[in-house]
Amino acid sequence: MNRRSVAGRLAALAAVTATLGGCAPDGGDDGAASPVSAPPGSTAQRTPGSGGTSARTPQGTLLVTDFGADTVTFVDPAGRGTAADLGSVRVGTAPYGIALGEDGTAWVATAEGVAAVDTRTRVRTALVPHRTDTGPVTTGEYRGGGMGIALSPDGSRVYVGVNVPGGKGTLEVVDTERREVTRVVPIGRRPFDVDVSRDGRQVYATNHDSFDVSVVDTGDWTARRIEVAPYGTEGGLGSWLKPHYAAVRPSDGALLLPFEGERLAVVDPGTGRVRTEDMTANTHQHGVTAGADGTLYVVGTGPIDPSEDDGPSLTVRTPEGDERVVPLDGPHETVALSADGRTAYVSGGFTRDGYWNGLSAVDVATGRVTRLPVGERPLAIAVLGGQGTGAG
């Protein structure tokens, strides 16, 4: 366990920020920054049969957002060391998070709005424009538009965190039947992740650049701020020690936010109390998801300071706090579980430079890792018939 002082760690981070340039400041861009027009038409299949398919999408298929393109890609992960590309659907510029409904509709947060994709026919059926003014449509790490996304338990609403470059974000509420934005709630800056309480009464936006979680009451649409900064807020927008993604603990509804493979912030969304538990991976952490039994899966993206931090990994943490760290090859971003909970799929897209076009399939029992070529900078993953999704 790395127990460096905050002052010493901040000094080390400042030294490497200039060379890495990644998720710390709210500015710049690691991708093209020129305006991008809305995608023509509703579908763009890479495989023959553009415009949909009569073949039913099999359960266990992965749906990944191509953050480096304007598509989501359907993938059969069954092959050994390979993946069968089942085609891609054009959804909108720089798709980020994804939420999967029980009716088979996938809701995708893009720079332009929220896309609805029929996963059975593999066709985009709607693109709901953002009501929030986010400026020109761009790509890359700091682009405006939808980021984290989640569904209400009854499937009637989609909640999407919208990034406003240089300012505070919003939570947009989309009516899934009317397919339009019905409400906009101010939240914190750069909402990487959105989650919902088990009873649907609260929505949680994890705001990277304001060191906090916004707790939105779905009864009166008020928002409360809970600061989540186990290392403090020194460094402001230039700090690397900010929250990225959260998981809702099944047992009690607490929010779990990992930091640096050193600390797990446990947030009581009712009282706003934050306490920390020790972690062991010693690596910069992003994506997280919780299994049905409460096991936590946490993505380590790699070292901030290579001289002191460890490489990319997947931490498997039991409800009792015991951890097993599985090394990964190259940076990763989010994680999703197979329906049986035996395989964790970890996306290689990464929000910073250094990404790769694929994902790692981790056998949870043995720790065996299989790398699969997938998409273009794949960021979020949904598993058809699975337990969870990545990036919201």
Side-chain angles (χ1 to χ4, degrees):
M1 176 75 55
N2 187 352
R3 296 288 101 196
R4 285 167 286 169
S5 69
V6 172
R9 185 175 182 86
L10 287 171
L13 300 184
V16 297
T17 296
T19 56
L20 291 179
C23 70
D26 179 16
D29 206 337
D30 64 7
S34 57
V36 180
S37 61
S42 61
T43 63
Q45 306 269 344
R46 290 196 188 117
T47 52
S50 177
T53 176
S54 58
R56 191 173 184 86
T57 306
Q59 291 295 298
T61 294
L62 308 181
L63 182 59
V64 300
T65 58
D66 294 318
F67 190 61
D70 56 5
T71 56
V72 293
T73 297
F74 290 81
V75 176
D76 179 358
R80 293 179 179 272
T82 62
D85 188 334
L86 301 178
S88 298
V89 176
R90 197 179 296 271
V91 289
T93 302
Y96 196 98
I98 189 169
L100 187 61
E102 292 185 0
D103 64 352
T105 301
W107 300 89
V108 184
T110 81
E112 301 167 54
V114 177
V117 176
D118 186 328
T119 62
R120 296 162 299 185
T121 59
R122 304 201 282 279
V123 171
R124 190 188 80 177
T125 57
L127 179 61
V128 182
H130 293 306
R131 272 177 45 185
T132 303
D133 182 6
T134 63
V137 175
T138 63
T139 62
E141 180 181 356
Y142 301 102
R143 65 118 174 100
M147 296 187 71
I149 191 169
L151 271 165
S152 62
D154 64 3
S156 65
R157 295 169 178 160
V158 171
Y159 304 108
V160 59
V162 179
N163 179 42
V164 179
K168 291 185 177 181
T170 66
L171 182 77
E172 293 193 340
V173 183
V174 177
D175 184 300
T176 58
E177 183 175 354
R178 292 158 55 187
R179 300 196 169 189
E180 64 181 29
V181 176
T182 58
R183 191 173 297 271
V184 179
V185 181
I187 55 173
R189 297 172 67 107
R190 210 162 159 224
F192 264 56
D193 198 13
V194 173
D195 297 277
V196 183
S197 64
R198 292 168 297 175
D199 59 12
R201 294 181 179 179
Q202 293 180 330
V203 181
Y204 312 118
T206 301
N207 307 305
H208 179 268
D209 284 356
S210 48
F211 296 90
D212 59 29
V213 171
S214 296
V215 180
V216 178
D217 188 305
T218 61
D220 60 12
W221 301 108
T222 57
R224 291 184 289 114
R225 177 182 184 268
I226 300 176
E227 182 175 288
V228 186
Y231 292 91
T233 61
E234 186 178 346
L237 292 178
S239 172
W240 290 71
L241 306 177
K242 296 181 284 192
H244 292 85
Y245 299 89
V248 179
R249 186 159 61 188
S251 61
D252 61 1
L255 301 179
L256 307 176
L257 296 90
F259 287 80
E260 304 308 310
E262 296 178 341
R263 305 178 188 182
L264 180 69
V266 182
V267 181
D268 183 330
T271 65
R273 178 173 177 260
V274 181
R275 61 181 180 84
T276 60
E277 299 177 0
D278 289 343
M279 298 189 73
T280 60
N282 188 31
T283 189
H284 189 57
Q285 290 175 319
H286 277 205
V288 58
T289 194
D293 64 352
T295 299
L296 203 63
Y297 302 83
V298 185
V299 181
T301 69
I304 294 177
D305 183 348
S307 69
E308 298 194 45
D309 302 330
D310 294 333
S313 62
L314 177 70
T315 293
V316 182
R317 181 185 177 92
T318 70
E320 294 75 32
D322 297 323
E323 292 190 349
R324 180 162 50 95
V325 178
V326 180
L328 299 176
D329 183 9
H332 292 69
E333 182 71 19
T334 67
V335 57
L337 293 178
S338 61
D340 58 14
R342 296 179 179 177
T343 305
Y345 298 106
V346 193
S347 66
F350 201 38
T351 53
R352 302 205 311 265
D353 280 333
Y355 62 88
W356 57 286
N357 293 332
L359 59 83
S360 291
V362 180
D363 185 301
V364 173
T366 67
R368 180 177 181 269
V369 179
T370 303
R371 286 166 63 93
L372 306 174
V374 171
E376 297 180 43
R377 198 171 180 173
L379 197 63
I381 308 170
V383 184
L384 273 61
Q387 296 182 13
T389 59

